[in-house]
Structure formats: structure tokens, C-alpha cells
Amino acid sequence: NGVTSWLKTVLLTLFSQVDMQEMDNAVNQTKKGIAQRYDFRGSDASIELEEKCIKLAAEDEYKLNAIID
């Protein structure tokens, strides 16, 4: 909450052991979901997997929460 700046980036660090192939699949599925959503057209919203860190970016709190959900 309190998301007020133009472009928000949230970093989620994964501390526990995870199956990185499954994590990669989940991130790729989320990317496809973002690309297909009407309310994300023209948006700079994104999700990236960087080693054991997931980077989320969105213009507003609504889009950021939608990516997380």
C-alpha cells in the first residue's frame, strides 16, 4: 500500500530452496497473462526472474497487485 510513484519495483528475494524450473515456468506464465490482459495494454508492467529474485514493475498499485495475484 502507499504506492504513489510513477513506476514501482518490488523485489521478492527467495530465501528457501525452490525448483527454479518451476519458478521460471510461473514467471513465463505470468508474462503471458500480462500480455493478454486488456487492462494491461500499453502498460510497462513486467515480471522478471533474476537468479533467485523476482522483479515486478507496474505503473500503479492496481497493476502491481494484479501481477502478484
Side-chain angles (χ1 to χ4, degrees), residues 1-15:
N1 297 340
V3 179
T4 57
S5 64
W6 171 248
L7 185 62
K8 290 298 175 181
T9 301
V10 176
L11 297 175
L12 303 173
T13 303
L14 307 172
F15 292 106

Side-chain angles (χ1 to χ4, degrees), residues 4-55:
T4 57
S5 64
W6 171 248
L7 185 62
K8 290 298 175 181
T9 301
V10 176
L11 297 175
L12 303 173
T13 303
L14 307 172
F15 292 106
S16 62
Q17 293 286 69
V18 296
D19 182 337
M20 292 309 291
Q21 182 60 50
E22 287 298 320
M23 186 63 66
D24 186 55
N25 290 342
V27 168
N28 286 330
Q29 287 296 327
T30 303
K31 286 180 181 181
K32 290 177 186 177
I34 290 170
Q36 293 175 354
R37 286 183 59 151
Y38 179 78
D39 53 342
F40 278 79
R41 288 192 184 154
S43 170
D44 289 329
S46 65
I47 183 170
E48 299 296 329
L49 180 60
E50 299 175 356
E51 293 190 25
K52 288 191 176 185
C53 184
I54 298 174
K55 182 178 177 183

